[in-house]
């Protein structure tokens, strides 16, 4: 398994992974969000290769000393091989190199199956209320 930074040729593969795992919004929203993150800090978009195939992706961002990650996804054909864990660990290492002291994850409250995964990596559930509003362009 190889964990590396994103390359432009990865987009089609990760878009497919996001679709297969239910993380894809509209293609335009996804491409726009990814483009913004790549412009901000491309080292925080990381890819897992397994048997020379793109098998997973994680997207991180930094706000001061806080790191955030979202869109952790592993191709269903490669799940339960430790790929998600390796992606999180690699991103945590990059965060630490950049001075991040705390990492936050936003998880949909209906996605209860990921809580044990994150808990096993030392993450704790904190009760916050998040409000959201889409502003039309």
């Amino acid at each position: 398994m190889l964990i590396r930074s994103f390359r432009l040729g990865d987009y089609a593969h990760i878009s497919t992974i996001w679709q297969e795992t239910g993380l894809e919004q509209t293609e335009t929203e996804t491409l726009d969000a990814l483009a913004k993150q790549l412009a901000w800090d491309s080292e925080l978009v990381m890819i897992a290769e397994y048997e020379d195939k793109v098998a997973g992706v994680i997207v991180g961002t930094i706000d001061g000393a806080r790191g955030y990650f979202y869109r952790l996804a592993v191709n269903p054909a490669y799940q339960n091989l430790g790929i998600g864990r390796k992606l999180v660990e690699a991103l945590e290492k990059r965060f630490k190199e950049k001075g991040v002291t705390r990492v936050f994850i936003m998880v949909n409250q209906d996605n209860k199956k990921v809580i044990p995964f994150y808990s096993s990596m030392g993450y704790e559930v904190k009760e916050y209320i998040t409000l959201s509003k889409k502003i039309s362009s």
Side-chain angles (χ1 to χ4, degrees):
M1 180 183 333
L2 170 69
I3 307 294
R4 61 169 174 77
S5 295
F6 174 86
R7 291 183 231 158
L8 192 55
D10 296 328
Y11 181 74
H13 299 290
I14 65 172
S15 180
T16 299
I17 292 170
W18 285 335
Q19 287 174 345
E20 291 177 355
T21 57
L23 291 178
E24 181 86 7
Q25 296 164 353
T26 68
E27 189 167 334
T28 302
E29 286 176 333
T30 302
L31 184 55
D32 288 349
L34 183 60
K36 286 177 186 173
Q37 180 55 40
L38 289 169
W40 176 254
D41 193 338
S42 63
E43 291 181 354
L44 298 178
V45 180
M46 303 184 75
I47 301 296
E49 285 186 8
Y50 189 83
E51 298 176 345
D52 297 322
K53 293 188 173 31
V54 174
V57 59
I58 190 169
V59 179
T61 191
I62 295 174
D63 180 11
R66 294 176 298 205
Y68 298 86
F69 70 82
Y70 57 100
R71 291 193 176 261
L72 169 62
V74 176
N75 181 320
Y78 298 102
Q79 290 180 357
N80 300 312
L81 297 174
I83 293 170
R85 182 173 299 276
K86 292 293 185 190
L87 282 165
V88 171
E89 290 169 349
L91 185 60
E92 287 174 345
K93 182 178 178 197
R94 292 236 171 124
F95 280 156
K96 191 173 182 179
E97 291 167 356
K98 293 176 176 286
V100 167
T101 57
R102 181 163 289 280
V103 179
F104 294 87
I105 312 164
M106 301 261 305
V107 176
N108 184 316
Q109 64 188 5
D110 296 329
N111 191 355
K112 301 210 184 298
K113 69 180 184 178
V114 300
I115 302 300
F117 168 75
Y118 290 125
S119 293
S120 75
M121 296 191 72
Y123 288 86
E124 300 172 9
V125 174
K126 301 288 185 184
E127 299 297 326
Y128 294 105
I129 296 174
T130 302
L131 304 173
S132 173
K133 177 182 177 182
K134 181 173 175 115
I135 300 176
S136 56
S137 26

